[in-house]
Amino acid sequence: MNETKITKTPVLKPINNQMLLPVVPIREGVLFPSTESVLTFGRKISLNAIEAAKNTKNLVILLTQKSPQVDLPQSKDLYRIGTLATIERTLDSEGRINALVKGMGRVEISEFISTRPVLKAKAVKLVDSIKQDNEMKALTSHLQSIFRKSIHMGKPVEFINFMKLMSGVTEGELADQIASTLSIDTNKKQQILETTDVKKRIKKIIEHLTREMKVLEIEKDVVYKTQKKFDKSMREGVLRERLRTIQKELGELEDEEEVAQSYEEKLKKITLSKDIKKKISKEIKRLRSMSPNNPESGYIRSWLDTVFDIPWNTDSKVKTTLKRAEKTLNKSHHGLKEVKDRILEYLAVLQLKQKNGKDKTAHVPTILCFVGPPGVGKTSIGRSIADALGRKFTKASLGGVRDEAEIRGHRRTYVGALPGKIVNGVIQSKSMDPVFMLDEVDKIGKDFRGDPSAALLEALDPEQNKEFEDHYLDMPLDLSKVIFITTANTLDTIPHALRDRLEIIRYSGYTEDEKFNIAKKHLWNKQLEANGLEKKDTKINDSALHYIIKRYTREAGVRELERTIGKTLRKVARKIAEKELDSIEKTTLNIKQLKDHLGPEIYDVTLTESENRVGLATGLAWTSVGGDMLFIEVALTPGKGKVILTGKLGEVMKESAQAALTYVKANLNKFNIDKKVFETTDVHVHVPEGGIPKEGPSAGITIATAMISAFTNRPIKKDVAMTGEITLRGRVLPIGGLKEKSIAAHRAGSKTVIIPQKNERNLADVPDVVKKDITFIPVSSVDEVIKLALC
């Protein structure tokens, strides 16, 4: 309905009990009695009915369709109750008729007479049922009240006409007039039209009108909040613009044009490829064309700042010689001969390439990976390498990194995007050829955010890292001059693809002599400074330093040794602080003072047994934190020839025990073991320290020796340690980690170490001080082991 007018309904004169009138179907909406509206008709069936109304004094029946989609409605498609209306005026318009129609009353169709060409029906007039009581008065008053309130809240109605008719009309007419203004579905309006009980009709109208008012309240609240927010944003915008103007006048803020100009000047000063320059210039143009209030301008400025922070054309200018580099490495670290030799070889290659002009850029040929137990100097040597090469040093710890974006950066589409650790490290070093240490590469995590180790593949590949692309930069960065050094405690957790790009240099544990020299030359002075002491305040004699190493520490590295030295120096610092400064006496720490500072000794001088024992053999083990001693006990109990394994052994070690038992069983006569005794005896193999997992095949000959000792009742020599894998036929196979195991045997006080024949070549890696104190005996069969180990 295009327009609604409320007029006072004239009193109808009775025509007949039934009226035969043309029917005009309405697709949507309802015309209520006592209201008038302009309707548009265009369908043939409607136009025929309006034409026929000329013969019925312009009276028609308006019936609403059940479904607005029906174009040619039949009687079944129309509601049975409609509105008796009079057509007061019509206006033709391009095949359509606009008619001013006024509702006269409710009618109910009793019978449809014809459907073509004019839809006609007999109808009976319906009379309103009104019960005048207090409830009716209250409902009428309430309806008028909320209707006025809805108009004040902005309900779209013709206010003047309605106010004129708010008095002097019946309750039914009032209800129909207000119902015509409701914004409800056609079927709900039809329900109101069909309600002849005025009291029920008013209740329905109040319910719908109340719901509309709730919606109007919500809309009003939303409009108010939106306007308030808009006013606040507008006010903030004006204030920011004024502040910006003031800051410009005071010289505290650069204009966008000035900022863009400064970026262009920076771009001119650096040498870049054409593509990279083009990309940077494009971003500068975008910045220049943007409004200062556009939040994206901040993102572009951050990106440009990062780009110009990269030291594109800056290389290390310090040139070093092999002698100077060797001197620097020896000064900062004791031992580590293989590592130092590798660095000097690398430096020699670079110098030869530059000298012969074959490689002006001197790209790094390989990526080094230092693997070894904690505390052996893997991380600290990185800075020493940088000093030896005269390059900048930067470091990134990868332990616990789980997000690939931490390595390669975030896309600029994300809020708060930043470059990754690789780009940040280069920026911090302020050089394109730093020594870049990636610490703890074996402790990188992996989850739903990606695999960070995969992001390192490009950066650590000498063939690819010339065009490394960080997600934030989104353009190639040349990393070919960077010396990447990675560190790890173990290679097991490093993916094969990444490990293939690394040149592995293994660190073994330090010998006692090496620890002594490290403590005397480096750790002592370092801890003096850390605890606020000077060299004149206290000293330590050599015997006391050896005592700390033997009795208070037992490790592959020197971290615990450094902490122990620090602990005793803190005791000294406290005593000095409690005295007057002028009465400080020089103190030389001895063993007695150490006991006062550090308490009782933690470790014995040796781990070996004090006497030869039956069924107790000493083996050697390799762990990620260095070599260790492995004591294996065998006890025999009456039974059925079963083997019992305890001590938290891994699958491989359990298999070694089974192989050793099978070998003994197959050679009972050779070792003079009674077959009947063997079959009626259970063998219990136990490895002490059951809370520590133990794995590997290298304990095979140790288990076999302990078993044979238990069955033959022959003691095993206390100072003999052994390592080697056993086969069912008694052959001794080679093992790994001989250097670490040898250092552990030396630390424990063993005098003889039995090793596989094929590991004899690995003795070249064993420190001379270890080979001096230990006799290494290569063997190829268990028979040789038994001859050497048993008394």
Side-chain angles (χ1 to χ4, degrees):
M1 289 179 283
N2 300 324
E3 184 180 355
T4 303
K5 293 182 180 180
I6 299 180
T7 60
K8 188 173 180 180
T9 305
V11 179
L12 287 174
K13 294 181 180 181
I15 302 173
N16 283 315
N17 287 338
Q18 292 198 15
M19 298 173 286
L20 178 61
L21 296 173
V23 175
V24 180
I26 302 175
R27 283 184 185 270
E28 287 186 285
V30 173
L31 179 69
F32 287 92
S34 304
T35 65
E36 60 182 23
S37 178
V38 176
L39 303 179
T40 302
F41 304 102
R43 290 183 290 180
K44 189 68 175 177
I45 191 171
S46 301
L47 297 177
N48 291 340
I50 294 172
E51 185 65 25
K54 294 178 181 180
N55 300 323
T56 59
K57 298 183 180 180
N58 292 331
L59 289 176
V60 293
I61 299 174
L62 300 179
L63 292 180
T64 302
Q65 294 181 194
K66 295 178 181 178
S67 174
Q69 284 77 27
V70 179
D71 287 328
L72 296 174
Q74 304 294 322
S75 58
K76 63 181 180 180
D77 299 319
L78 302 172
Y79 288 108
R80 305 291 292 190
I81 295 178
T83 305
L84 175 65
T86 179
I87 301 174
E88 297 192 340
R89 289 192 300 270
T90 59
L91 177 65
D92 293 339
S93 176
E94 298 178 357
R96 292 175 176 270
I97 292 180
N98 297 320
L100 177 61
V101 183
K102 181 178 180 181
M104 306 296 290
R106 288 172 172 78
V107 292
E108 183 176 3
I109 303 300
S110 58
E111 182 183 1
F112 284 95
I113 302 302
S114 66
T115 58
R116 294 290 182 275
V118 179
L119 183 60
K120 291 183 179 182
K122 288 183 179 181
V124 179
K125 184 182 177 183
L126 301 177
V127 181
D128 287 345
S129 173
I130 302 176
K131 183 180 180 182
Q132 296 292 347
D133 54 11
N134 291 334
E135 185 183 7
M136 175 62 76
K137 292 180 181 179
L139 287 171
T140 304
S141 176
H142 181 58
L143 177 61
Q144 289 177 322
S145 175
I146 63 174
F147 183 64
R148 288 192 187 97
K149 189 176 180 181
S150 68
I151 292 173
H152 288 301
M153 293 177 66
K155 183 174 176 63
V157 295
E158 292 188 14
F159 179 75
I160 298 176
N161 292 339
F162 270 94
M163 288 302 100
K164 289 179 180 178
L165 295 174
M166 287 298 285
S167 60
V169 294
T170 65
E171 290 86 350
E173 291 173 345
L174 176 66
D176 288 338
Q177 290 170 355
I178 294 177
S180 66
T181 69
L182 293 176
S183 300
I184 56 178
D185 297 336
T186 299
N187 60 342
K188 293 179 180 178
K189 285 188 175 183
Q190 181 67 28
Q191 290 175 9
I192 295 174
L193 180 67
E194 292 177 358
T195 305
T196 57
D197 188 327
V198 176
K199 188 180 292 186
K200 290 182 180 180
R201 190 190 310 165
I202 291 176
K203 287 181 180 179
K204 288 184 179 181
I205 295 170
I206 289 174
E207 180 183 348
H208 291 305
L209 190 58
T210 303
R211 188 175 292 110
E212 280 192 24
M213 290 175 64
K214 290 290 183 184
V215 174
L216 286 171
E217 285 180 4
I218 295 171
E219 288 179 352
K220 189 174 180 180
D221 185 56
V222 171
V223 169
Y224 171 75
K225 289 182 179 179
T226 305
Q227 185 65 34
K228 186 178 178 181
K229 186 176 180 181
F230 177 75
D231 292 342
K232 182 181 178 182
S233 301
M234 193 171 180
R235 180 172 176 270
E236 289 179 354
V238 172
L239 290 175
R240 281 199 188 96
E241 193 60 38
R242 289 181 179 177
L243 177 62
R244 192 176 183 84
T245 304
I246 293 171
Q247 289 177 329
K248 286 180 182 178
E249 291 295 327
L250 294 174
E252 297 176 358
L253 186 67
E254 294 179 328
D255 187 82
E256 291 299 322
E257 181 63 31
E258 294 176 1
V259 173
Q261 186 64 33
S262 67
Y263 285 136
E264 287 183 345
E265 291 175 1
K266 290 180 181 178
L267 184 59
K268 292 177 183 178
K269 293 178 182 179
I270 57 178
T271 304
L272 297 171
S273 68
K274 186 182 294 184
D275 292 337
I276 295 178
K277 272 200 170 185
K278 185 177 179 181
K279 183 176 180 62
I280 297 174
S281 297
K282 183 179 179 181
E283 295 297 327
I284 294 174
K285 288 179 182 177
R286 286 184 63 203
L287 178 65
R288 179 180 274 115
S289 63
M290 277 186 181
S291 167
N293 296 324
N294 191 332
E296 192 175 355
S297 65
Y299 302 151
I300 295 176
R301 289 184 66 168
S302 297
W303 184 84
L304 289 170
D305 288 339
T306 302
V307 168
F308 289 114
D309 283 342
I310 296 174
W312 293 100
N313 306 128
T314 305
D315 293 337
S316 300
K317 297 180 180 179
V318 179
K319 301 299 179 183
T320 185
T321 61
L322 288 176
K323 289 185 178 180
R324 179 180 176 277
E326 186 176 7
K327 184 179 179 181
T328 303
L329 291 173
N330 289 332
K331 181 181 178 182
S332 58
H333 283 78
H334 182 82
L336 305 178
K337 183 177 183 301
E338 182 183 359
V339 179
K340 294 175 182 177
D341 288 344
R342 182 65 189 86
I343 297 302
L344 294 175
E345 292 166 5
Y346 167 76
L347 183 58
V349 171
L350 291 185
Q351 285 186 353
L352 288 176
K353 284 187 174 183
Q354 291 174 338
K355 181 179 179 181
N356 298 331
K358 293 181 179 179
D359 191 352
K360 294 181 180 180
T361 57
H363 292 177
V364 180
T366 55
I367 308 298
L368 302 180
C369 179
F370 299 152
V371 181
V376 295
K378 300 187 301 297
T379 303
S380 62
I381 200 171
R383 195 176 298 277
S384 301
I385 291 172
D387 293 339
L389 298 178
R391 298 196 182 195
K392 302 288 185 179
F393 176 77
T394 187
K395 174 178 171 289
S397 180
L398 302 181
V401 172
R402 293 181 175 275
D403 191 352
E404 179 188 354
E406 291 193 47
I407 306 295
R408 302 196 64 157
H410 301 80
R411 299 283 183 190
R412 279 200 289 162
T413 52
Y414 296 103
V415 176
L418 291 171
K421 288 182 178 289
I422 303 292
V423 173
N424 276 331
V426 173
I427 292 174
Q428 290 172 8
S429 69
K430 299 179 180 179
S431 170
M432 292 301 291
D433 60 347
V435 174
F436 199 136
M437 175 156 280
L438 298 171
D439 211 8
E440 308 292 358
V441 73
D442 59 325
K443 296 177 179 61
I444 295 177
K446 179 181 179 181
D447 63 8
F448 65 93
R449 288 167 290 190
D451 185 0
S453 63
L456 289 173
L457 296 179
E458 183 182 1
L460 299 183
D461 190 343
E463 301 296 328
Q464 299 182 49
N465 61 13
K466 187 175 182 180
E467 294 184 344
F468 173 77
E469 281 204 15
D470 183 272
H471 289 157
Y472 181 75
L473 290 182
D474 196 24
M475 57 186 183
L477 180 68
D478 187 1
L479 299 179
S480 58
K481 300 178 185 178
V482 179
I483 298 180
F484 284 105
I485 299 176
T486 62
T487 70
N489 295 128
T490 178
L491 292 175
D492 297 341
T493 56
I494 302 177
H496 178 74
L498 180 57
R499 192 178 359 175
D500 187 58
R501 287 162 165 78
L502 307 176
E503 180 178 342
I504 308 299
I505 297 180
R506 295 188 178 274
Y507 282 61
S508 56
Y510 292 116
T511 63
E512 182 183 326
D513 182 61
E514 288 175 330
K515 288 183 180 180
F516 172 78
N517 283 288
I518 292 170
K520 189 171 184 179
K521 295 178 182 179
H522 304 288
L523 302 183
W524 181 258
N525 294 333
K526 181 180 178 181
Q527 285 300 314
L528 280 175
E529 183 179 353
N531 290 283
L533 298 173
E534 297 180 3
K535 291 183 179 180
K536 64 180 182 180
D537 294 334
T538 186
K539 296 180 181 178
I540 188 170
N541 57 40
D542 292 352
S543 60
L545 201 53
H546 277 291
Y547 195 78
I548 292 177
I549 296 170
K550 288 180 179 179
R551 307 305 297 271
Y552 290 97
T553 64
R554 182 153 291 160
E555 56 178 340
V558 291
R559 282 205 183 120
E560 186 62 31
L561 175 59
E562 184 177 0
R563 283 192 289 266
T564 306
I565 293 173
K567 181 178 180 181
T568 189
L569 287 180
R570 285 194 297 275
K571 304 286 187 183
V572 175
R574 179 180 175 184
K575 290 181 178 180
I576 293 175
E578 291 174 348
K579 295 180 180 180
E580 296 295 332
L581 292 177
D582 55 359
S583 63
I584 295 176
E585 298 179 358
K586 291 185 178 180
T587 304
T588 300
L589 293 174
N590 53 38
I591 294 176
K592 182 178 180 303
Q593 290 171 317
L594 285 179
K595 290 182 179 180
D596 294 337
H597 293 169
L598 303 176
E601 299 92 338
I602 300 175
Y603 302 103
D604 295 325
V605 176
T606 63
L607 286 175
T608 55
E609 292 293 323
S610 58
E611 59 184 33
N612 302 332
R613 294 182 183 274
V614 175
L616 177 59
T618 303
L620 298 173
W622 179 93
T623 69
S624 61
V625 293
D628 201 1
M629 304 297 289
L630 193 69
F631 298 100
I632 295 177
E633 299 176 340
V634 172
L636 306 179
T637 57
K640 298 181 180 181
K642 295 181 180 179
V643 61
I644 303 169
L645 305 173
T646 58
K648 202 171 184 180
L649 308 182
E651 290 299 322
V652 177
M653 199 164 182
K654 289 179 181 178
E655 292 173 0
S656 294
Q658 292 287 355
L661 183 66
T662 301
Y663 169 75
V664 174
K665 186 177 182 179
N667 294 275
L668 294 177
N669 295 333
K670 181 187 293 187
F671 298 115
N672 296 322
I673 300 173
D674 190 342
K675 182 178 179 181
K676 186 176 181 180
V677 173
F678 185 88
E679 292 176 348
T680 57
T681 302
D682 286 343
V683 181
H684 186 164
V685 180
H686 177 66
V687 184
E689 297 183 355
I692 301 174
K694 306 164 190 74
E695 183 61 292
S698 62
I701 64 171
T702 313
I703 297 173
T705 301
M707 287 181 179
I708 294 171
S709 170
F711 276 110
T712 60
N713 203 31
R714 293 173 59 187
I716 300 174
K717 295 176 183 178
K718 62 181 181 179
D719 56 355
V720 173
M722 62 192 75
T723 179
E725 183 179 355
I726 188 175
T727 69
L728 295 177
R729 288 170 176 76
R731 291 189 298 120
V732 179
L733 302 182
I735 45 83
L738 180 62
K739 182 179 180 181
E740 290 80 2
K741 293 178 179 178
S742 302
I743 293 173
H746 183 262
R747 188 167 60 238
S750 298
K751 299 300 180 183
T752 302
V753 174
I754 299 173
I755 62 173
Q757 183 77 47
K758 292 185 179 180
N759 282 116
E760 187 175 6
R761 59 196 174 198
N762 300 117
L763 290 174
D765 299 330
V766 178
D768 293 336
V769 66
V770 175
K771 289 189 284 190
K772 180 182 177 182
D773 295 338
I774 293 179
T775 301
F776 291 91
I777 303 178
V779 297
S780 57
S781 67
V782 178
D783 295 347
E784 298 176 61
V785 177
I786 299 304
K787 291 178 183 178
L788 293 169
L790 299 186
C791 296

